[in-house]
Amino acid sequence: MKKINKYNKNCPETISHVENQKLKAISWSEETSNIPKRYQNASIIPINDSQIILKKQIKDNLDTSTLITDEYGNVSLIDFNNIVINGNIGVGKTYLTIGLIKYLISLGVGCKYTTQYDLIGLKQNKEYQAFDNFKKINILVIECFLLVKLK
């Protein structure tokens, strides 16, 4: 991942301000990331063979992206491509993606986790402001569940 700092690195006051803003952003992201309690200990370290393959795909995507910190301490990730992850139940898709969210939050990137049902519910209940807040997030992970009609 390439990192670009758009602030004066020679000015201690600017560096201090940027770091303080970044810490505030990290704290805010941790509070609002919507990570389920059962995944609070998730990490980007794979715990099975399926996750090793997935981690490589995520790492390849991160390697082509750029982390930008502006003069106000705002951090954004650009050139990060959408990733669609699918697989059987229990292989660790959510665990690893939550680990990715936690890693990106530690860098100051705004991230949020949600499910398709939560998003659809906001729209159906006409909670447009809450729904629109998802557009302001740099990285949004949406857990989708496929419904299969049984015969």
Side-chain angles (χ1 to χ4, degrees):
M1 174 184 329
K2 187 168 60 171
K3 295 183 180 183
I4 298 173
N5 295 315
K6 293 186 170 183
Y7 57 90
N8 183 351
K9 291 181 264 181
N10 297 323
C11 177
E13 291 171 355
T14 302
I15 292 171
S16 176
H17 173 74
V18 167
E19 289 303 316
N20 284 336
Q21 289 303 106
K22 205 165 161 182
L23 288 174
K24 286 179 187 175
I26 290 169
S27 177
W28 179 84
S29 284
E30 287 173 343
E31 292 170 14
T32 62
S33 64
N34 202 32
I35 294 174
K37 285 188 169 74
R38 69 181 181 274
Y39 291 107
Q40 291 299 318
N41 294 323
S43 75
I44 196 77
I45 300 168
I47 58 175
N48 62 40
D49 291 342
S50 298
Q51 288 185 356
I52 290 170
I53 295 166
L54 177 56
K55 182 180 179 186
K56 183 184 178 331
Q57 293 170 336
I58 291 171
K59 183 185 177 312
D60 290 348
N61 197 346
L62 279 173
D63 287 347
T64 62
S65 62
T66 304
L67 192 68
I68 298 177
T69 305
D70 70 14
E71 64 272 18
Y72 305 106
N74 300 313
V75 179
S76 56
L77 188 65
I78 61 169
D79 301 326
F80 186 82
N81 296 312
N82 291 332
I83 301 175
V84 176
I85 301 167
N86 63 10
N88 293 329
I89 294 172
V91 297
K93 300 176 301 292
T94 303
Y95 177 88
L96 202 58
T97 53
I98 296 287
L100 172 65
I101 288 173
K102 291 174 67 178
Y103 169 71
L104 291 173
I105 286 173
S106 74
L107 297 176
V109 178
C111 299
K112 192 165 184 115
Y113 169 87
T114 191
T115 67
Q116 72 184 36
Y117 296 121
D118 289 342
L119 281 179
I120 291 169
L122 290 173
K123 197 72 166 173
Q124 288 176 337
N125 294 330
K126 298 185 174 151
E127 296 178 48
Y128 300 121
Q129 182 61 45
F131 186 83
D132 286 343
N133 284 339
F134 284 98
K135 296 176 186 175
K136 300 173 186 171
I137 301 298
N138 198 216
I139 300 292
L140 176 62
V141 173
I142 304 171
E143 178 118 19
C144 297
F145 305 98
L146 297 175
L147 301 176
V148 179
K149 184 177 180 181
L150 300 175
K151 293 182 181 184

